Amino acid sequence: MYFYQKIILVNDLLHITKGNNNLLKRREAQRLQRISSCLKYVIGDLAKDKLELDWLSNPSFSTEDALLLHQRATEVANLIPEKSPLISRTTSKSELSGESDTDESLKQSSKKRKKKKKKHHNYKKTKKKTKGDSSSSESDRDTKHIKDKAEGSGRNHEKEGAANLDKKTSNLTSNCFVWLDDIQAFTAETFRIDKKPDPANWAYKSLYRGDIARYKRRGESCLGIDAKKQCITWDSSATKRKQLQRRPERYFTKNNVKMLNTDGIPVCNKSSPSDPTAFIPVFQMEPDDPSDTTDMNPLGIYDPSTTVWLQGKGCKSTDHEPVNMQQTIQEPGININSILMTKVEEHNKKVRENPRDINAWLEFVSFQDELMRGPSPYASKGEHEVRRKSLKLILEKKLAILERAIESNPSNVDLKLARLKLCTEFWEPPALIKEWQKLIFLHPNNPELWKKYLLFCQSQFTTFSVSKINSLYGKCLTTLAAVQDGSMVSHPLLPGTEEAMLAIFIQQCHFLRQAGHSEKAVSLFQALIDFTFFKPDSVKDLPTRGQVEFFEPFWDSGEPRIGEKGARGWKAWMHQQEKGGWIALKPDDDDEEIDEDQEIKDKSLPKWHIWLDFEYSREARHWLPWRPDKTKKETEEDCEDPERQVLFDDLGPSLIHLSNPDLQRQLLYSFLQFLGVPCTSKLFPSNLYFAMDENNIFESVLSDEKPLTSVSFPLSGFNSIGHMDTMLRGRHHIGHYKEGEEFIQNVFHVLFLLFSGKEKSNLSICWLQYEISKVVQCLEAKNKKKVKAQGRKSKKLAKNLLKEPDNRNHLSLWKLYAYLEWLLGNIDDARKVFDTALCTAGTGGCKSPQLCSLSLLYAQLEAELLESTEGAVISRAVHVLTKLAESGPYVPYSGQVLSVNVLKARKTYEHALQDYLSKTPVSDQDQVSDANQLVNLVGCYALFQYLTVGIDAAVLIYAQTSEKLEAPGPQKCENTGDSFGIQNFPTALEAITLLHTNLLRFHMKISVYPLNPLREALTEALKRYPSNQSLWRSYIHIQRKSHSASKARRFFDGVTRSTNSLEPWLFAIQAEQLRKKLTENVQRADVGEIHSTIPETGLTNRIVALFEHAVQSENGTHCPLLWRMYLNFLASLGKKEKSKGLFYKALQNCPWAKVLYMDAVEYFPDDLQETLDLMTEKELRVRVPVEELDLLLEV
């Protein structure tokens, strides 16, 4: 069997050389010699054993066939001239004498083969090294080897049978060759013999793939045995084979994406070019044989072309189909290219004719993205242009355009900012900072430029340190103050500079708070409030820097400041100094609060855990600046932590002059919000997301339980002073410790002395709202003991405020006091307070905004007690709303409501609403008052209709009002927060939409109602107000009950594309995380086999993708809250290495956020020392050094 397989191999090789005539023409003599050597080795192996020569009797090998083949070869050789370069094959022994000539030709051919081998086969260098010889010596060695083989073929064999076999095969393995083209009578038996041995055959298992002819065998028989059954199919060319293997392209391939990104081609009727909407008829084709149509189309439902196809016939115009198809393919490309070229020409024409048009330049820059998405308009027809659409190419083109634009407009700031934004991708931070400094030097009076420069420097991790950035804020405010005073003559004062200065000041305070330097932030507010509201008259005419020089002695005098006991202000101190000295007040002998953080309660906890507890405790207790107590004879050296002392040099450069009363009030409310007091004022939009760092924007426990009266205080998402909680722990305590609460009380007492009347009442409302917020937090924590204790303090404060003469008839305070009683569970007491307030309110009726607001809250609280709408007509809520419409003295509820009064009240509400909708406000103040009144009136009317008629009547009122108040577009409403004043109300349409959605949520809670109306109302409202957190909370609350998330995902995607607000990203991520949590809870339920009703896969990847897109957005890049959420999510998945990489990536964008470092300590406890060293290097506030912690652990 062994020999049988060997002879089959020989026959296969012979057949290969016989069959592929075209291929043999292109092959070199090297392949032939390898085949010959292979044959000789095989035959030599066969002759080694005498007992295994029975294969010669195989019918497939016959001596007669060999002799016949020899005769044919001899006849052909006689026809070839002697001088022919080709040598015929012969078995004559006399030709062996010409071996020398043959050897010379073999030498030449081996050199040629060596050159061709370098071209075609690309041998590796490693193969040459293993052989160990150069190319020249190798060819000589091969030639000598052939000689030795030919001369001593019979000499080296010892056995007689092997010698006879060599003689028989020598005729077939001669070294004479014949070119197939020179053979006149071509036969199928013609083949070549390559006698040259190839040492590679010993090293490798098979021949080189380039030397083997490509063919496919058809049939199972061995080649050479049965010629009838064997069949060989030669492979086609490489290009044709590739075309056959090409699969149809999917929609996401490059060519198809390019086609989808291009604009469509408008199609119009050629007969009526003036009317583009004219009908374009589809011309039908008549069939070839109409007689067969009825057989194939018995019902007459197929068009003629389909009928012809069913018959198996082609169309009449099949001959022209390839041409038409080619035209169809080519025309869109030509059309698209022409469109792009036209746009390029238009942009070039614009900037050429009007180089001063800044918008045209910026549009041309943004057009480059569109240009790179489509095919190149400059590729020649029929040319396949391969372009590498890299980001660098686009950026370089944009940069070149912007440089041309700056040459034409050297003083424009927007173009320079756009150029710097692009250069961020190319340049290193030091080079960028130098460019920024040049730009600031040229435009020191531009506050918007200063804001961007501050944020840029603040977010550069390599060059960041707290002291550098704080001094940069001081330099900015000092420069702008010089421009404001007119002392910088070279640059004029730009409009809006004073508002921008206050925004930058507030931004600096939040920066210091987030970096852990709470004492400096509080001192900045204290100093500016004293500098603004208690300024002596003698220094008001001086420039800002001169006033600061007079303010420094007061600050360093050690006198009480704003928020401290006995504080009277800078003005009183100056008067006393002029009179002759300051009278020191004797402080109250209060018990000192014991520091609970001086000893470790549980030393068994890990070191990182103890450090976090200590750091948090000191952050909550020591956020006030430390000052020596003169009554106790303390000096500055007695301070254990020198960082708690604030020097005047740290805050003097940041003091600014505010002359606008609205901005002065904005400063006060910003300080109250900074302390954690909820106010109606909002932060400036420029630093809104920069300061967002607390994960409390999704909490809405009371909002879910009581949707009608849910309290939504502004500025959720911002840590107040003294609170720096990790993501996993949450908020440790509610409000502040004793020292902090006393500080807030002192601030309010000082502010009450500054204002009177309505402004004083507004401050009282803020204080009471702060107490209510603490009660709400206690209720959400479900701590009854804390609720009871906090309730007593809050009620005491509310009663004291109502005792003030200015507040006795202030219905807003009465409303908050009644609501406080209701939250504490004292419903009867709350009703008494409401009734008392309504009785003393007078007969203003629907025309009184405060009375409408009071009645609306009272009715909403009563409606929430109803279990269903049955019997609601005679409820206390309807009674309250009816009495409001009567405009008469209020009578407490007696248990019934007359139907006549209900009808009268409905007419009254209807007429009042029409009057307000048709009323035109005269001034801004009237507009604010009318907007508040309209919101309250619509709320009362809709709730009245809901309780007396039904939900459809209430929804109709909201719909009619919304149509009247419809704004032109979402952009206009979204930008309403850009004004720099106190915003006491959201836009009327936004507030009405919130009432509408809350009513729908309440109705769905107490009765069966479809979800679609509420979803539609929320989606329309969120498209218009994408930054409203209350609406987003309601939306994800209803969406988490849905089994299908596709609608919500499409909606989130649409909103994030249409707005720059960060809230859609945050709530989209929260919705997916809630869905993932729900899915995991279902799958982990220990109830046996689980059939998930919410089959979701890939939620983790979806959430990660949302995070990645969010952090790349303009507002999300520098939002600490977003990075904290992302880091928390990856850490929850257990991906420690990825989490650590993300932590350092977050530091690249928000290096000032101390909460990120504290989160990292909790996620990576082994790296505690490394994290603290990094905080120390960047000068972030570390209140508990590791050395102190080690000493405390040893005690």
Side-chain angles (χ1 to χ4, degrees):
M1 191 65 186
Y2 172 77
F3 296 101
Y4 181 71
Q5 292 176 352
K6 291 286 182 81
I7 196 60
I8 289 175
L9 173 62
V10 174
N11 287 329
D12 275 345
L13 293 170
L14 292 176
H15 193 284
I16 290 169
T17 56
K18 279 192 271 186
N20 194 1
N21 298 328
N22 295 328
L23 191 62
L24 290 173
K25 291 178 183 179
R26 298 191 300 269
R27 298 298 186 197
E28 298 85 10
Q30 179 187 2
R31 181 177 58 79
L32 299 175
Q33 289 183 357
R34 289 182 180 178
I35 295 175
S36 174
S37 61
C38 181
L39 283 170
K40 199 149 192 179
Y41 292 144
V42 170
I43 295 172
D45 291 339
L46 293 174
K48 288 181 181 179
D49 198 349
K50 293 181 181 180
L51 300 176
E52 297 181 354
L53 294 177
D54 294 339
W55 64 275
L56 292 173
S57 61
N58 194 315
S60 64
F61 183 82
S62 177
T63 54
E64 289 80 0
D65 293 339
L67 290 174
L68 182 61
L69 181 62
H70 170 64
Q71 291 174 2
R72 289 178 182 174
T74 305
E75 292 172 359
V76 173
N78 293 331
L79 298 175
I80 301 174
E82 293 181 359
K83 293 184 178 181
S84 176
L86 299 175
I87 304 171
S88 62
R89 181 183 53 183
T90 178
T91 58
S92 175
K93 294 182 180 180
S94 63
E95 288 181 7
L96 294 174
S97 62
E99 282 185 348
S100 60
D101 299 333
T102 308
D103 292 337
E104 292 178 0
S105 64
L106 285 174
K107 287 180 182 180
Q108 295 176 359
S109 62
S110 65
K111 291 180 180 179
K112 294 179 180 178
R113 287 196 304 271
K114 191 64 181 178
K115 293 179 181 178
K116 291 182 179 179
K117 184 164 58 175
K118 290 182 180 178
K119 293 181 180 178
H120 297 287
H121 297 294
N122 295 326
Y123 272 68
K124 296 181 180 179
K125 294 181 180 180
T126 55
K127 184 180 292 185
K128 293 181 180 180
K129 290 179 181 180
T130 56
K131 293 181 180 179
D133 295 323
S134 63
S135 60
S136 60
S137 62
E138 183 180 354
S139 62
D140 296 337
R141 188 178 67 244
D142 292 343
T143 309
K144 290 178 182 179
H145 184 66
I146 293 173
K147 283 183 180 181
D148 296 339
K149 282 283 185 179
E151 292 175 355
S153 61
R155 238 176 350 195
N156 296 330
H157 294 286
E158 298 177 356
K159 298 186 180 180
E160 191 177 32
N164 294 333
L165 178 63
D166 186 50
K167 289 179 181 179
K168 289 180 181 180
T169 56
S170 63
N171 294 333
L172 296 175
T173 59
S174 175
N175 58 350
C176 301
F177 302 97
V178 178
W179 291 113
L180 293 178
D181 296 340
D182 297 329
I183 299 174
Q184 298 293 335
F186 179 78
T187 61
E189 304 295 337
T190 307
F191 58 91
R192 299 186 188 185
I193 298 175
D194 185 6
K195 197 174 179 181
K196 177 187 174 184
D198 188 0
N201 290 334
W202 297 101
Y204 302 100
K205 294 181 180 180
S206 62
L207 296 176
Y208 174 57
R209 59 182 178 83
D211 293 335
I212 301 174
R214 298 193 190 99
Y215 69 95
K216 292 183 179 179
R217 292 179 53 184
R218 302 295 178 88
E220 299 179 355
S221 62
C222 295
L223 292 178
I225 295 180
D226 190 354
K228 295 181 180 179
K229 293 183 179 180
Q230 65 193 27
C231 181
I232 293 178
T233 303
W234 302 103
D235 285 351
S236 59
S237 62
T239 56
K240 190 174 181 181
R241 188 174 68 256
K242 288 182 179 178
Q243 291 177 358
L244 292 174
Q245 292 178 354
R246 176 180 291 180
R247 296 180 179 178
E249 293 184 346
R250 296 295 303 279
Y251 65 92
F252 47 76
T253 56
K254 289 185 178 180
N255 294 332
N256 289 334
V257 169
K258 182 191 298 182
M259 182 180 67
L260 291 174
N261 287 334
T262 54
D263 296 331
I265 303 167
V267 181
C268 60
N269 193 355
K270 295 181 179 179
S271 60
S272 58
S274 60
D275 187 9
T277 61
F279 173 70
I280 303 174
V282 179
F283 298 100
Q284 297 183 354
M285 183 187 63
E286 295 295 333
D288 291 338
D289 190 5
S291 61
D292 294 338
T293 306
T294 55
D295 298 335
M296 293 295 173
N297 190 12
L299 300 177
I301 59 175
Y302 299 135
D303 63 345
S305 60
T306 306
T307 308
V308 172
W309 181 80
L310 290 173
Q311 293 174 2
K313 299 178 181 180
C315 299
K316 291 180 180 179
S317 58
T318 51
D319 298 336
H320 306 288
E321 187 175 357
V323 180
N324 295 336
M325 287 293 293
Q326 189 176 5
Q327 292 176 357
T328 306
I329 294 171
Q330 288 179 357
E331 285 177 2
I334 297 170
N335 202 341
I336 291 165
N337 289 344
S338 63
I339 292 173
L340 288 175
M341 290 180 70
T342 305
K343 289 184 177 180
V344 173
E345 291 173 1
E346 289 178 357
H347 282 291
N348 278 303
K349 185 179 179 181
K350 283 183 181 178
V351 298
R352 184 175 60 251
E353 294 178 352
N354 191 5
R356 301 291 182 182
D357 190 355
I358 307 302
N359 292 327
W361 285 106
L362 295 176
E363 288 174 3
F364 194 18
V365 170
S366 60
F367 172 70
Q368 300 307 310
D369 296 323
E370 179 185 352
L371 188 64
M372 293 301 293
R373 283 198 300 267
S376 175
Y378 303 108
S380 60
K381 186 175 180 181
E383 178 186 358
H384 181 68
E385 186 200 21
V386 181
R387 293 187 303 159
R388 184 180 179 184
K389 301 178 182 179
S390 63
L391 177 64
K392 188 175 181 181
L393 177 61
I394 304 176
L395 293 176
E396 287 177 350
K397 289 184 68 177
K398 291 182 177 180
L399 196 59
I401 295 171
L402 285 172
E403 287 175 352
R404 281 179 50 204
I406 293 173
E407 289 177 3
S408 303
N409 305 275
S411 60
N412 187 266
V413 179
D414 294 333
L415 292 173
K416 295 178 180 178
L417 283 175
R419 176 175 171 269
L420 277 176
K421 188 175 181 181
L422 284 179
C423 290
T424 309
E425 304 289 337
F426 296 99
W427 296 349
E428 294 295 327
L432 275 173
I433 291 176
K434 287 183 180 179
E435 288 295 320
W436 270 106
Q437 290 173 349
K438 292 178 184 177
L439 191 59
I440 287 293
F441 180 77
L442 293 174
H443 308 278
N445 61 333
N446 192 324
E448 295 300 321
L449 186 63
W450 274 106
K451 289 181 184 178
K452 291 181 172 61
Y453 176 51
L454 289 168
L455 186 58
F456 169 77
C457 294
Q458 191 171 324
S459 58
Q460 294 297 313
F461 179 77
T462 54
T463 58
F464 171 82
S465 70
V466 174
S467 59
K468 285 183 182 178
I469 303 302
N470 192 41
S471 62
L472 194 61
Y473 272 106
K475 180 181 178 182
C476 166
L477 292 173
T478 301
T479 305
L480 291 177
V483 174
Q484 183 187 27
D485 297 335
S487 56
M488 184 177 286
V489 187
S490 58
H491 292 81
L493 178 67
L494 298 179
T497 300
E498 189 173 343
E499 293 87 343
M501 289 168 67
L502 178 59
I504 292 172
F505 175 83
I506 296 173
Q507 183 172 329
Q508 180 186 7
C509 295
H510 278 280
F511 161 73
L512 290 171
R513 172 186 65 81
Q514 289 178 306
H517 295 269
S518 307
E519 301 90 348
K520 293 182 181 178
V522 173
S523 297
L524 273 173
F525 271 116
Q526 286 179 307
L528 189 59
I529 290 175
D530 244 325
F531 190 76
T532 302
F533 292 98
F534 298 94
K535 187 178 296 183
D537 298 333
S538 57
V539 299
K540 285 185 177 180
D541 297 332
L542 296 175
T544 306
R545 289 305 100 190
Q547 296 176 9
V548 171
E549 291 176 359
F550 276 95
F551 183 74
E552 184 175 1
F554 162 71
W555 187 263
D556 293 334
S557 64
E559 300 304 325
R561 304 164 187 167
I562 300 296
E564 299 175 3
K565 290 181 180 180
R568 299 191 179 186
W570 180 23
K571 186 176 182 178
W573 180 82
M574 285 283 287
H575 283 303
Q576 191 65 35
Q577 289 293 318
E578 292 172 359
K579 291 180 180 179
W582 182 258
I583 301 173
L585 298 176
K586 187 177 180 181
D588 299 332
D589 296 332
D590 290 341
D591 296 334
E592 292 185 4
E593 189 175 358
I594 301 173
D595 266 348
E596 298 178 359
D597 63 343
Q598 292 301 324
E599 58 182 24
I600 301 173
K601 297 179 180 179
D602 188 2
K603 294 186 179 181
S604 62
L605 294 173
K607 185 177 180 180
W608 65 269
H609 198 287
I610 297 174
W611 181 86
L612 278 178
D613 291 340
F614 260 67
E615 188 73 17
Y616 175 82
S617 176
R618 292 190 178 178
E619 190 76 36
R621 297 173 186 274
H622 298 164
W623 53 269
L624 286 172
W626 185 89
R627 302 186 64 199
D629 191 351
K630 294 182 179 181
T631 59
K632 299 178 182 179
K633 298 181 180 180
E634 291 181 348
T635 60
E636 295 180 354
E637 298 177 355
D638 295 331
C639 182
E640 297 178 356
D641 187 359
E643 290 290 332
R644 294 186 63 189
Q645 300 183 61
V646 182
L647 304 178
F648 186 79
D649 295 338
D650 296 330
L651 51 91
S654 300
L655 295 180
I656 56 176
H657 173 64
L658 297 176
S659 57
N660 190 343
D662 290 337
L663 293 179
Q664 292 177 356
R665 287 194 293 270
Q666 177 72 24
L667 171 65
L668 292 179
Y669 288 119
S670 298
F671 183 39
L672 293 176
Q673 288 176 345
F674 195 79
L675 298 174
V677 178
C679 302
T680 53
S681 175
K682 292 183 179 180
L683 280 178
F684 295 106
S686 61
N687 60 356
L688 181 63
Y689 301 113
F690 159 87
M692 187 179 284
D693 53 2
E694 188 178 13
N695 187 28
N696 65 347
I697 63 174
F698 312 113
E699 300 172 359
S700 57
V701 178
L702 292 181
S703 175
D704 297 338
E705 296 176 357
K706 300 178 180 180
L708 278 181
T709 58
S710 59
V711 180
S712 178
F713 296 113
L715 283 187
S716 59
F718 298 87
N719 268 324
S720 59
I721 195 77
H723 293 278
M724 196 164 287
D725 316 290
T726 60
M727 290 286 287
L728 297 179
R729 294 184 170 198
R731 177 160 287 196
H732 281 59
H733 67 275
I734 297 166
H736 296 282
Y737 287 103
K738 182 180 178 182
E739 188 179 6
E741 293 293 339
E742 290 178 354
F743 182 83
I744 293 176
Q745 291 178 13
N746 294 332
V747 169
F748 273 112
H749 288 314
V750 171
L751 296 182
F752 284 158
L753 299 175
L754 291 175
F755 301 101
S756 61
K758 185 178 179 181
E759 201 61 46
K760 184 177 180 180
S761 300
N762 289 336
L763 289 171
S764 302
I765 291 173
C766 290
W767 196 355
L768 193 52
Q769 281 181 342
Y770 174 59
E771 295 296 324
I772 292 176
S773 68
K774 291 190 287 186
V775 172
V776 170
Q777 291 177 30
C778 293
L779 289 172
E780 291 179 350
K782 297 181 180 179
N783 191 330
K784 294 183 179 180
K785 184 180 291 186
K786 285 187 176 181
V787 169
K788 192 174 181 180
Q790 184 61 46
R792 285 197 301 268
K793 297 178 183 178
S794 301
K795 286 197 293 184
K796 182 179 179 182
L797 174 66
K799 291 177 181 178
N800 291 333
L801 290 175
L802 287 171
K803 288 179 183 178
E804 295 290 331
D806 297 337
N807 298 333
R808 289 178 181 175
N809 295 325
H810 202 281
L811 292 182
S812 296
L813 278 176
W814 282 98
K815 181 183 75 171
L816 289 176
Y817 175 47
Y819 182 58
L820 176 63
E821 292 281 6
W822 196 287
L823 285 176
L824 294 172
N826 307 324
I827 296 179
D828 293 335
D829 295 339
R831 285 171 176 169
K832 292 178 182 178
V833 175
F834 274 121
D835 291 340
T836 303
L838 290 173
C839 290
T840 57
T843 59
C846 297
K847 296 181 180 179
S848 173
Q850 292 186 356
L851 186 57
C852 275
S853 177
L854 178 66
S855 301
L856 177 61
L857 179 62
Y858 191 11
Q860 287 173 337
L861 291 171
E862 291 291 345
E864 285 179 342
L865 297 178
L866 299 175
E867 297 180 356
S868 66
T869 54
E870 297 179 3
V873 182
I874 57 173
S875 63
R876 188 186 296 267
V878 175
H879 171 76
V880 172
L881 295 174
T882 304
K883 290 299 179 181
L884 174 66
E886 290 179 358
S887 300
Y890 178 78
V891 179
Y893 178 64
S894 59
Q896 61 180 355
V897 180
L898 298 178
S899 301
V900 178
N901 295 338
V902 172
L903 293 174
K904 289 181 179 179
R906 184 175 294 117
K907 286 293 182 183
T908 305
Y909 279 123
E910 184 178 352
H911 290 305
L913 181 59
Q914 294 297 330
D915 292 342
Y916 270 99
L917 289 176
S918 59
K919 185 178 180 181
T920 304
V922 179
S923 63
D924 293 339
Q925 190 64 31
D926 292 337
Q927 188 176 0
V928 172
S929 177
D930 290 341
N932 285 329
Q933 174 60 13
L934 178 62
V935 171
N936 293 324
L937 179 61
V938 172
C940 291
Y941 186 20
L943 185 60
F944 178 79
Q945 288 290 85
Y946 170 70
L947 295 174
T948 57
V949 181
I951 184 64
D952 295 334
V955 170
L956 182 62
I957 293 170
Y958 283 125
Q960 292 175 351
T961 309
S962 298
E963 288 179 3
K964 293 282 186 180
L965 298 176
E966 197 87 35
Q971 284 79 13
K972 181 177 179 180
C973 294
E974 185 180 345
N975 295 333
T976 52
D978 290 344
S979 58
F980 293 99
I982 299 174
Q983 298 172 4
N984 294 315
F985 68 104
T987 59
L989 184 59
E990 185 177 1
I992 289 173
T993 306
L994 195 58
L995 290 174
H996 179 197
T997 55
N998 288 343
L999 183 61
L1000 286 175
R1001 287 175 57 204
F1002 170 72
H1003 182 65
M1004 290 179 61
K1005 182 182 177 183
I1006 66 172
S1007 61
V1008 179
Y1009 193 69
L1011 185 62
N1012 199 44
L1014 176 57
R1015 184 189 287 115
E1016 290 181 355
L1018 284 171
T1019 52
E1020 290 299 322
L1022 286 169
K1023 288 177 184 177
R1024 191 175 298 278
Y1025 308 106
S1027 59
N1028 191 305
Q1029 296 178 4
S1030 300
L1031 292 174
W1032 281 118
R1033 279 192 288 265
S1034 301
Y1035 183 74
I1036 64 171
H1037 177 71
I1038 65 169
Q1039 281 300 329
R1040 67 184 180 185
K1041 299 178 181 179
S1042 176
H1043 286 256
S1044 175
S1046 58
K1047 287 185 178 179
R1049 287 168 179 168
R1050 286 196 300 270
F1051 175 67
F1052 277 119
D1053 183 63
V1055 176
T1056 51
R1057 292 173 185 271
S1058 61
T1059 181
N1060 291 327
S1061 300
L1062 193 60
E1063 281 83 1
W1065 288 110
L1066 295 172
F1067 282 91
I1069 293 167
Q1070 177 68 8
E1072 295 294 344
Q1073 286 183 325
L1074 290 175
R1075 190 170 191 82
K1076 183 175 183 294
K1077 185 179 179 180
L1078 178 62
T1079 306
E1080 290 176 351
N1081 290 339
V1082 170
Q1083 293 174 351
R1084 292 175 182 173
D1086 190 15
V1087 292
E1089 187 177 0
I1090 294 298
H1091 300 282
S1092 179
T1093 57
I1094 310 177
E1096 287 288 348
T1097 56
L1099 271 176
T1100 300
N1101 294 332
R1102 179 182 291 275
I1103 294 171
V1104 170
L1106 283 173
F1107 272 120
E1108 286 295 332
H1109 283 88
V1111 297
Q1112 290 173 8
S1113 62
E1114 183 180 357
N1115 290 321
T1117 306
H1118 305 296
C1119 178
L1121 173 60
L1122 185 60
W1123 288 106
R1124 294 184 71 192
M1125 291 173 61
Y1126 194 3
L1127 185 60
N1128 179 48
F1129 177 71
L1130 281 187
S1132 66
L1133 297 177
K1135 299 179 179 179
K1136 186 174 181 181
E1137 293 301 323
K1138 286 189 176 180
S1139 302
K1140 191 173 293 187
L1142 181 69
F1143 166 64
Y1144 289 111
K1145 185 179 177 182
L1147 294 187
Q1148 295 290 333
N1149 296 280
C1150 305
W1152 69 87
K1154 183 181 175 181
V1155 284
L1156 280 173
Y1157 297 85
M1158 296 184 70
D1159 288 341
V1161 169
E1162 195 163 22
Y1163 300 141
F1164 320 116
D1166 298 335
D1167 302 331
L1168 172 63
Q1169 186 64 50
E1170 180 183 347
T1171 306
L1172 294 182
D1173 291 343
L1174 191 60
M1175 293 174 67
T1176 307
E1177 178 188 349
K1178 298 301 176 184
E1179 299 179 358
L1180 271 72
R1181 187 83 158 87
V1182 180
R1183 298 180 182 272
V1184 185
V1186 181
E1187 296 79 10
E1188 181 184 354
L1189 184 63
D1190 293 336
L1191 290 175
L1192 291 172
L1193 288 172
E1194 291 175 0
V1195 175

